[in-house]
């Protein structure tokens, strides 16, 4: 008789619990937060990886993946390179000897002119390629534009405006024009043009890959300029600000034709072998004087310039 009574008691207890929960849910009564926290059953310690295991783990993973038949793609850590200009002048123009001194009516002048016409076939092909990428290119207008680039670049050099110089000079020409001018003062002025500038040479080489074209145009410019360079002490090193000189120059203007945002910039200058030598630079040299004591004047000391000791040079 005890067993059925126990079953009835369990059934009654479950029924009362369910009725209580239903009543609490209907009334919206909530039990308070229990006053116990879960306790971790295992202690986990941070075990740092041993030295040199990173490469071994990677190698083992690669070996496992190869064994399973998974092909791992090789990673190339390469940096993109943008070659905005060429490293030099391709097929440079050879100026004829006696240019700007010989008349075209003389015999030597006519020979030079006919030879230039013969050599202009390659230039015409290069001009066609340049016009394919630059539709506004014209030899007549380009010579005047090259002269403007030359004047703007030299005016920016006197003020040492780096941003403007980088927009007017290529990466090859920039160090050549600015090297050694840190503590110097440059005074340059364009007086007039003795002859109108003209295009005498054009080339369109490709570099690194086929189709990566660069346009190089050589412009002949005969003008009158003034140049004066002062050192850091304010003493004149070269030239004069009042006395202009006749200058014959062959400028190389370059542009990256494939780049839609490229522009024509000054790339270099061709100096012919028959050009006269440049004027020597007058340097300021300090001569060490005698050591003076306190209250002693220079006139009372026999000041003699010491001569350098003779040195025997061996070849």
């Amino acid at each position: 008789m005890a067993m059925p009574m126990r079953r009835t008691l369990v059934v009654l207890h479950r029924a009362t619990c369910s009725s209580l929960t239903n009543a609490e849910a209907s009334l919206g009564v909530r039990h308070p937060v229990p006053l116990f926290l879960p306790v971790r059953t295992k202690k986990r310690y941070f075990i740092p990886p041993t030295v040199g295991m990173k490469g071994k783990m990677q190698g083992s993973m690669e070996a496992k993946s190869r064994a399973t038949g998974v092909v791992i793609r090789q990673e190339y850590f390469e940096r993109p390179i943008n070659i905005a200009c060429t490293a030099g002048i391709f097929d440079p123009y050879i100026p004829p000897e006696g240019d700007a001194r010989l008349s075209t009516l003389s015999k030597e002048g006519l020979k030079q002119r006919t030879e230039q016409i013969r050599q202009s076939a390659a230039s015409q092909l290069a001009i066609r390629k340049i016009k394919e990428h630059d539709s506004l290119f014209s030899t007549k207008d380009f010579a005047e534009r090259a002269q403007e680039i030359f004047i703007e670049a030299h005016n920016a050099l006197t003020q040492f405006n780096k941003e403007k110089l980088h927009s007017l000079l290529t990466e090859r020409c920039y160090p050549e024009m600015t090297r050694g001018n840190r503590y110097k003062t440059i005074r340059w002025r364009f007086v007039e043009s003795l002859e109108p500038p003209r295009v005498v040479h054009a080339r369109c080489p490709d570099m690194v890959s086929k189709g990566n074209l660069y346009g190089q145009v050589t412009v002949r410019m005969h003008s009158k300029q003034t140049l004066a360079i002062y050192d850091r002490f304010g003493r004149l090193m070269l030239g004069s600000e009042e006395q202009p000189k006749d200058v014959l120059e062959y400028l190389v203007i370059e542009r990256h034709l494939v780049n839609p945002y490229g522009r024509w910039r000054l790339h270099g200058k061709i100096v012919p072998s028959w050009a006269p030598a440049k004027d020597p630079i007058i340097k300021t040299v300090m001569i060490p004087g005698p050591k003076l004591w306190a209250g002693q004047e220079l006139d009372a000391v026999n000041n003699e310039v010491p001569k350098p000791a003779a040195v025997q040079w061996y070849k």
Side-chain angles (χ1 to χ4, degrees), residues 4 10 19 33 39 50 53 61 69 71 140 148 165 193 195 201 216 227 229 233 282-283 287 310:
V10 172
S19 62
V33 180
V39 180
T50 55
M53 286 298 293
M61 291 294 291
V71 180
K140 294 181 180 179
E148 291 175 3
L165 280 172
S193 182
E195 293 182 38
H201 193 72
Q216 289 186 354
L227 175 66
I229 301 176
F233 304 106
I282 305 168
K283 292 184 178 181
I287 300 174

Side-chain angles (χ1 to χ4, degrees), residues 237-292:
M237 294 179 64
L238 180 69
S240 172
E241 292 190 48
E242 288 79 19
Q243 184 180 0
K245 284 190 175 182
D246 298 346
V247 183
L248 177 65
E249 293 173 313
Y250 300 92
L251 311 174
V252 180
I253 315 294
E254 188 185 82
R255 179 186 172 180
H256 192 194
L257 298 175
V258 181
N259 186 7
Y261 303 103
R263 59 174 66 184
W264 292 101
R265 297 184 294 173
L266 187 62
H267 186 61
K269 191 183 293 185
I270 296 173
V271 181
S273 58
W274 46 265
K278 294 182 180 179
D279 297 335
I281 295 175
I282 305 168
K283 292 184 178 181
T284 303
V285 182
M286 186 185 71
I287 300 174
K291 292 182 180 180
L292 302 176

Side-chain angles (χ1 to χ4, degrees), residues 72-306:
I72 299 174
R73 187 178 179 183
Q74 187 177 1
E75 295 182 2
Y76 296 96
F77 297 97
E78 296 179 355
R79 297 177 64 183
I81 299 173
N82 179 24
I83 303 174
C85 71
T86 57
I89 301 171
F90 288 87
D91 193 10
Y93 173 70
I94 301 173
E97 190 173 355
D99 194 8
R101 293 198 301 266
L102 296 175
S103 174
T104 55
L105 300 176
S106 63
K107 186 177 181 181
E108 291 80 5
L110 285 171
K111 284 183 180 178
Q112 290 180 4
R113 192 64 182 162
T114 51
E115 191 171 352
Q116 286 178 2
I117 292 170
R118 288 175 185 172
Q119 294 178 354
S120 63
S123 297
Q124 292 297 328
L125 293 173
I127 289 169
R128 287 182 188 176
K129 281 187 180 181
I130 292 170
K131 285 183 178 180
E132 289 177 2
H133 294 83
D134 187 4
S135 58
L136 301 176
F137 181 83
S138 174
T139 54
K140 294 181 180 179
D141 301 335
F142 182 79
E144 295 177 359
R145 175 58 185 155
Q147 188 174 358
E148 291 175 3
I149 292 170
F150 174 80
I151 295 170
E152 289 178 9
H154 280 75
N155 287 332
L157 181 65
T158 57
Q159 302 169 3
F160 203 70
N161 189 349
K162 292 183 180 180
E163 295 180 358
K164 198 168 185 180
L165 280 172
H166 278 294
S167 64
L168 297 170
L169 307 176
T170 60
E171 286 74 13
R172 175 187 176 270
C173 186
Y174 180 82
E176 291 183 358
M177 285 190 66
T178 58
R179 188 183 293 115
N181 298 333
R182 186 174 181 182
Y183 299 110
K184 296 181 181 65
T185 304
I186 301 172
R187 295 283 184 265
W188 181 87
R189 184 167 58 92
F190 184 84
V191 181
E192 61 177 347
S193 182
L194 299 176
E195 293 182 38
R198 56 187 176 88
V199 176
V200 295
H201 193 72
R203 289 294 180 270
C204 190
D206 51 1
M207 198 170 65
V208 179
S209 62
K210 193 174 182 181
N212 190 25
L213 297 175
Y214 294 84
Q216 289 186 354
V217 181
T218 306
V219 179
R220 178 187 179 273
M221 196 174 74
H222 192 198
S223 60
K224 191 173 284 189
Q225 307 169 15
T226 60
L227 175 66
I229 301 176
Y230 299 90
D231 61 3
R232 58 178 178 171
F233 304 106
R235 297 181 179 89
L236 183 66
M237 294 179 64
L238 180 69
S240 172
E241 292 190 48
E242 288 79 19
Q243 184 180 0
K245 284 190 175 182
D246 298 346
V247 183
L248 177 65
E249 293 173 313
Y250 300 92
L251 311 174
V252 180
I253 315 294
E254 188 185 82
R255 179 186 172 180
H256 192 194
L257 298 175
V258 181
N259 186 7
Y261 303 103
R263 59 174 66 184
W264 292 101
R265 297 184 294 173
L266 187 62
H267 186 61
K269 191 183 293 185
I270 296 173
V271 181
S273 58
W274 46 265
K278 294 182 180 179
D279 297 335
I281 295 175
I282 305 168
K283 292 184 178 181
T284 303
V285 182
M286 186 185 71
I287 300 174
K291 292 182 180 180
L292 302 176
W293 299 98
Q296 192 178 10
E297 295 183 358
L298 184 63
D299 298 336
V301 181
N302 187 12
N303 187 14
E304 294 182 359
V305 178

Side-chain angles (χ1 to χ4, degrees), residues 12-69:
L12 287 171
H13 180 67
R14 289 178 180 173
T16 53
C17 289
S18 62
S19 62
L20 284 170
T21 51
N22 293 332
E24 289 174 358
S26 61
L27 293 173
V29 179
R30 294 183 180 178
H31 288 284
V33 180
L35 299 176
F36 62 90
L37 295 173
V39 180
R40 290 192 295 179
T41 57
K42 293 181 182 180
K43 291 184 179 181
R44 296 178 176 84
Y45 297 99
F46 173 70
I47 303 171
T50 55
V51 180
M53 286 298 293
K54 189 175 180 181
K56 292 181 180 178
M57 290 292 292
Q58 188 177 1
S60 62
M61 291 294 291
E62 289 180 1
K64 287 179 181 178
S65 59
R66 285 190 190 128
T68 54

